[in-house]
């Protein structure tokens, strides 16, 4: 499992944090600080900006009057191929140095210099937002409020812009600006190996210190309303926290870490680990209870007095060694940071409202499947468009097969649509999926016969859509004399692969998953 101990950054790729596995010293995980635009199998960004205007052939570009717009894109928290190559090269040098010096990581011997590199294996929850303008300029927006929670956490969004919004977006990108923000909030599981952290103190004393370091500013908006903002100093290390808050006592038990590599700064790494645990798992609850929401009528003094409402009592928080905890991250970026002006320009197109004779069906496909940890080798998706064009008296047909072997692959199915007698495009297509198991090679077709009809432009093949269930299993806190648990899970009425499983959980391997067809 991913361990928080010894996280680091590659000098040439400082926006990516690298974590190590606590059972395989050659395995590493990447956590980017900013999202990117997802790309198809040819490297083309999945981004489109469509402008609707009239008389495109007759008018010069400067004379066209945009009537509305449509924006669509897919995002992911991923590392580019170029940066990944730099990271791999750095890890090879790191492992080679440890191998030559006979060093160990968490008492595990280094046996080779070739690294294994991936993204965190278990994301527990997450949300994602794509923001451009207010509702006055964007009357309709839709998208993945929750990312895939697998691999690079793919999400898709689309927006309809009114005339002012489309024109403002167009003028902005012409000047090299892309007024949009992508914001992720993700939590993944990580382990604290052989460490204990004790935090003790008095709640009232802590909140008194917190109040002294909190500043409230107020400002008046144009509409006359008064707004308040509270701020406090940014703290980036355990030393800064101890220097700022003297009412809390923080002790670290280094346990099994006493056997370390020569020359390794153990205290610095342990303090960094302890601070990250405090920052993500303890401090948020303090700040949430310390402040109640302020009303518009409350002055800055009244707002500060909200701290006084916190109950008194002693604080005694103990984090035991080898615990599994949630680690939170917040990758975010402006669209201009992850999409070049040339790419925006090449994916901006006009559609003539005066002559919309040919309309295109553009479907993006993604498999939201954990190919690494689940017994899935690949997912096959067959898409078929077969419609009668009643205006041209002809049959419009196209079929294509897509094979997914990782959750980060994106494909597109594109076809000019047939039309009905009223001129409306026929945008219904059909598809079927097939899941291929690892090891056995057994396949399951969904549906078993025929095909499914859809009009979706973002076709996400998920476990729910395929008819599979996946249950995450976690061994909770146990008394010292309990070594583990044996769990049997079965799905009645079927003999499909994996329907009946017995899983053993231990403190060394506290997580597992149950996966079967329903």
């Amino acid at each position: 499992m991913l361990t928080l101990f010894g996280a680091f950054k590659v000098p040439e790729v400082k926006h990516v944090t690298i974590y190590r596995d606590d059972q395989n010293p050659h395995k590493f995980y990447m956590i980017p600080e900013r999202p990117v635009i997802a790309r198809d199998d040819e490297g083309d960004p999945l981004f489109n900006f469509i402008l609707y205007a009239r008389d495109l052939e007759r008018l010069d570009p400067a004379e066209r009057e945009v009537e509305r717009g449509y924006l669509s894109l897919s995002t992911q928290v991923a590392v580019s191929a170029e940066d990944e190559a730099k990271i791999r090269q750095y890890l090879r040098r790191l492992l080679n140095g440890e191998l030559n010096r006979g060093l160990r990581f968490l008492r595990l011997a280094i046996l080779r210099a070739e690294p294994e590199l991936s993204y965190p294996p278990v994301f527990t929850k997450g949300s994602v937002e794509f923001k451009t303008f207010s509702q006055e300029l964007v009357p309709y927006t839709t998208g993945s409020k929750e990312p895939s929670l697998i691999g690079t956490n793919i999400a898709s969004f689309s927006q309809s812009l009114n005339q002012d919004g489309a024109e403002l977006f167009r003028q902005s990108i012409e000047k090299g600006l892309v007024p949009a923000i992508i914001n992720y909030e993700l939590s993944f599981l990580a382990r604290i190996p052989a460490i204990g952290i004790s935090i003790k103190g008095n709640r009232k004393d802590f909140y008194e210190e917190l109040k002294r370091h909190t500043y409230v500013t107020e400002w008046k908006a144009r509409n006359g309303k008064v707004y308040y903002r509270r701020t406090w100093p940014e703290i980036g290390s355990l030393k800064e926290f101890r220097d700022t808050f003297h009412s809390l006592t923080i002790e670290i038990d280094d346990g099994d870490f006493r056997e370390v590599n020569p020359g390794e700064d153990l205290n610095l790494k342990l303090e960094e680990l302890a601070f990250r645990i405090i920052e993500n798992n303890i401090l948020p609850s303090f700040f949430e209870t310390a402040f109640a929401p302020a009303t518009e009528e409350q002055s800055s003094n009244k707002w500060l007095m909200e701290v006084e409402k916190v109950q008194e009592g002693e604080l005694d928080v103990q984090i035991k060694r080898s615990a599994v905890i949630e680690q939170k991250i917040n990758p975010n970026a402006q669209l201009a940071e992850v999409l070049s002006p040339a790419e925006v320009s090449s994916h901006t197109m006009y559609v003539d409202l005066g002559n919309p004779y040919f309309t295109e069906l553009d479907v993006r496909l993604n498999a939201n499947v954990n190919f690494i940890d689940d017994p899935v080798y690949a997912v096959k998706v067959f898409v078929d468009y077969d419609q009668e064009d009643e205006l041209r008296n002809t049959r419009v047909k196209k079929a294509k097969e897509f094979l997914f072997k990782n959750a980060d692959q994106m494909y597109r199915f594109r076809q000019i649509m047939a039309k009905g007698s009223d001129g409306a495009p026929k945008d219904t297509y059909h598809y079927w999926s097939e899941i291929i198991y690892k090891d056995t090679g057994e396949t399951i077709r969904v549906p078993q016969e025929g095909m499914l009809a859809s009009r979706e432009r973002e076709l996400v093949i998920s476990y729910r859509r395929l008819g599979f269930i996946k249950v995450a299993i976690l061994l909770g806190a146990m008394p010292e004399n309990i070594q583990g648990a044996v769990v049997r899970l079965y799905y009645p009425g079927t003999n499909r692969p994996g329907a009946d499983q017995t899983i053993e959980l231990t403190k060394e391997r506290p997580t597992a998953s149950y996966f079967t067809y329903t």
Side-chain angles (χ1 to χ4, degrees):
M1 176 177 279
L2 180 151
T3 175
L4 291 182
F5 179 75
F8 62 92
K9 293 186 177 182
V10 175
E12 296 181 6
V13 192
K14 293 186 177 181
H15 62 278
V16 179
T17 302
I18 306 297
Y19 294 87
R20 210 160 181 171
D21 193 275
D22 66 346
Q23 297 175 6
N24 180 354
H26 315 95
K27 191 169 186 177
F28 300 84
Y29 303 98
M30 301 179 290
I31 303 287
E33 295 177 358
R34 60 173 181 254
V36 296
I37 298 298
R39 297 174 182 268
D40 62 18
D41 52 329
E42 297 178 355
D44 201 32
L46 298 178
F47 170 85
N48 287 309
F49 179 41
I50 302 174
L51 295 163
Y52 298 91
R54 299 183 187 275
D55 302 324
L56 296 181
E57 296 181 1
R58 184 174 61 84
L59 298 175
D60 293 330
E63 298 175 341
R64 295 170 182 169
E65 183 176 354
V66 175
E67 296 190 18
R68 60 182 181 272
Y70 175 78
L71 184 66
S72 67
L73 72 157
S74 294
T75 65
Q76 59 183 358
V77 184
V79 177
S80 68
E82 180 182 357
D83 285 341
E84 184 175 333
K86 295 177 182 178
I87 292 172
R88 286 185 180 276
Q89 187 61 30
Y90 180 89
L91 295 179
R92 289 189 187 100
R93 293 196 299 267
L94 173 70
L95 289 173
N96 192 55
E98 293 177 342
L99 182 63
N100 292 335
R101 295 162 60 194
L103 302 184
R104 293 172 175 263
F105 178 76
L106 299 181
R107 295 184 171 181
L108 299 171
I110 310 300
L111 304 176
R112 59 181 184 274
E114 185 60 33
E116 301 174 32
L117 191 60
S118 65
Y119 297 95
V122 182
F123 286 96
T124 55
K125 56 188 175 183
S127 63
V128 56
E129 292 181 296
F130 174 70
K131 291 185 177 181
T132 51
F133 306 121
S134 65
Q135 192 172 0
E136 297 176 355
L137 302 179
V138 184
Y140 177 76
T141 181
T142 186
S144 310
K145 295 181 181 179
E146 294 184 0
S148 63
L149 297 181
I150 293 175
T152 59
N153 282 280
I154 291 177
S156 297
F157 302 92
S158 63
Q159 291 185 340
S160 293
L161 293 81
N162 63 18
Q163 187 174 28
D164 291 338
E167 183 61 26
L168 178 58
F169 200 89
R170 183 189 69 81
Q171 292 187 24
S172 298
I173 61 177
E174 285 183 355
K175 296 177 180 178
L177 303 172
V178 185
I181 296 175
I182 307 164
N183 186 45
Y184 277 80
E185 291 185 3
L186 300 170
S187 296
F188 61 91
L189 288 185
R191 181 183 285 171
I192 316 165
I195 188 172
I197 298 176
S198 170
I199 304 174
K200 295 183 179 181
N202 182 275
R203 287 183 176 272
K204 183 174 178 58
D205 292 343
F206 172 75
Y207 288 121
E208 286 294 333
E209 284 191 303
L210 178 60
K211 185 171 63 174
R212 289 197 297 270
H213 291 289
T214 303
Y215 303 95
V216 177
T217 56
E218 64 179 55
W219 72 94
K220 185 177 292 186
R222 293 180 181 179
N223 58 11
K225 291 185 178 180
V226 178
Y227 295 91
Y228 303 94
R229 175 187 293 135
R230 57 176 181 254
T231 58
W232 44 80
E234 290 189 10
I235 299 173
S237 68
L238 186 60
K239 182 179 183 303
E240 291 181 27
F241 184 83
R242 283 170 166 158
D243 291 343
T244 304
F245 297 102
H246 303 284
S247 59
L248 296 183
T249 301
I250 303 172
E251 297 179 351
I252 303 172
D253 172 19
D254 57 13
D256 296 339
F257 282 92
R258 298 187 185 283
E259 181 187 316
V260 296
N261 297 328
E264 189 173 33
D265 193 338
L266 175 63
N267 291 333
L268 184 62
K269 285 190 174 184
L270 288 178
E271 288 199 353
E272 179 183 352
L273 174 61
F275 179 70
R276 299 195 69 170
I277 295 169
I278 294 168
E279 182 183 37
N280 282 275
N281 297 274
I282 298 174
L283 286 184
S285 62
F286 291 168
F287 283 88
E288 287 168 7
T289 57
F291 297 100
T295 63
E296 295 176 3
E297 292 77 17
Q298 287 177 310
S299 68
S300 57
N301 289 333
K302 289 182 180 179
W303 194 344
L304 280 175
M305 289 180 66
E306 295 294 327
V307 182
E308 305 287 355
K309 296 181 180 180
V310 177
Q311 71 276 17
E312 297 183 1
E314 295 301 315
L315 179 68
D316 189 353
V317 178
Q318 304 288 333
I319 295 183
K320 301 297 183 182
R321 63 184 60 202
S322 298
V324 177
I325 65 170
E326 278 190 334
Q327 181 76 358
K328 298 178 182 179
I329 55 173
N330 181 219
N332 61 88
Q334 295 186 19
L335 195 57
E337 296 177 308
V338 296
L339 204 59
S340 69
E343 289 175 325
V344 174
S345 178
S346 65
H347 287 74
T348 300
M349 62 199 77
Y350 283 86
V351 173
D352 196 335
L353 290 173
N355 184 30
Y357 189 82
F358 296 103
T359 52
E360 183 183 51
L361 175 68
D362 187 357
V363 181
R364 290 183 286 192
L365 297 93
N366 169 240
N368 186 13
V369 173
N370 191 337
F371 294 92
I372 297 176
D373 299 317
D374 296 338
V376 180
Y377 170 72
V379 172
K380 185 190 299 182
V381 183
F382 182 87
V383 181
D384 178 66
Y385 184 86
D386 187 355
Q387 297 280 6
E388 181 72 25
D389 193 312
E390 299 175 30
L391 293 182
R392 294 184 291 163
N393 193 28
T394 185
R395 197 77 182 174
V396 179
K397 300 177 66 175
K398 181 180 180 179
K400 193 171 183 179
E401 189 177 277
F402 305 93
L403 185 67
F404 295 91
K405 291 187 177 181
N406 68 71
D408 304 327
Q409 287 177 278
M410 298 286 289
Y411 291 110
R412 298 176 81 171
F413 179 84
R414 306 177 73 171
Q415 171 61 34
I416 300 297
M417 291 184 283
K419 292 190 176 183
S421 58
D422 59 354
K426 297 182 176 181
D427 60 353
T428 299
Y429 60 92
H430 294 78
Y431 73 95
W432 58 266
S433 307
E434 185 177 71
I435 191 165
I436 305 169
Y437 276 84
K438 293 177 183 175
D439 301 329
T440 64
E442 182 170 352
T443 62
I444 296 178
R445 188 185 190 277
V446 182
Q448 294 183 8
E449 296 180 356
M451 292 189 285
L452 302 173
S454 179
R455 299 173 62 192
E456 298 173 77
R457 297 301 191 266
E458 302 286 344
L459 184 61
V460 179
I461 306 299
S462 63
Y463 289 143
R464 182 185 295 273
R465 190 186 292 266
L466 288 168
F468 285 77
I469 59 171
K470 179 182 177 182
V471 180
I473 310 166
L474 173 65
L475 182 69
M478 291 285 176
E480 289 296 328
N481 62 334
I482 301 296
Q483 296 301 315
V486 176
V487 186
R488 183 195 173 202
L489 301 97
Y490 65 95
Y491 190 85
T494 178
N495 57 359
R496 291 284 188 177
D500 192 333
Q501 297 182 39
T502 300
I503 297 170
E504 182 176 358
L505 302 175
T506 66
K507 293 181 179 179
E508 287 70 34
R509 295 181 178 273
T511 61
S513 64
Y514 170 75
F515 178 82
T516 192
Y517 180 61
T518 62

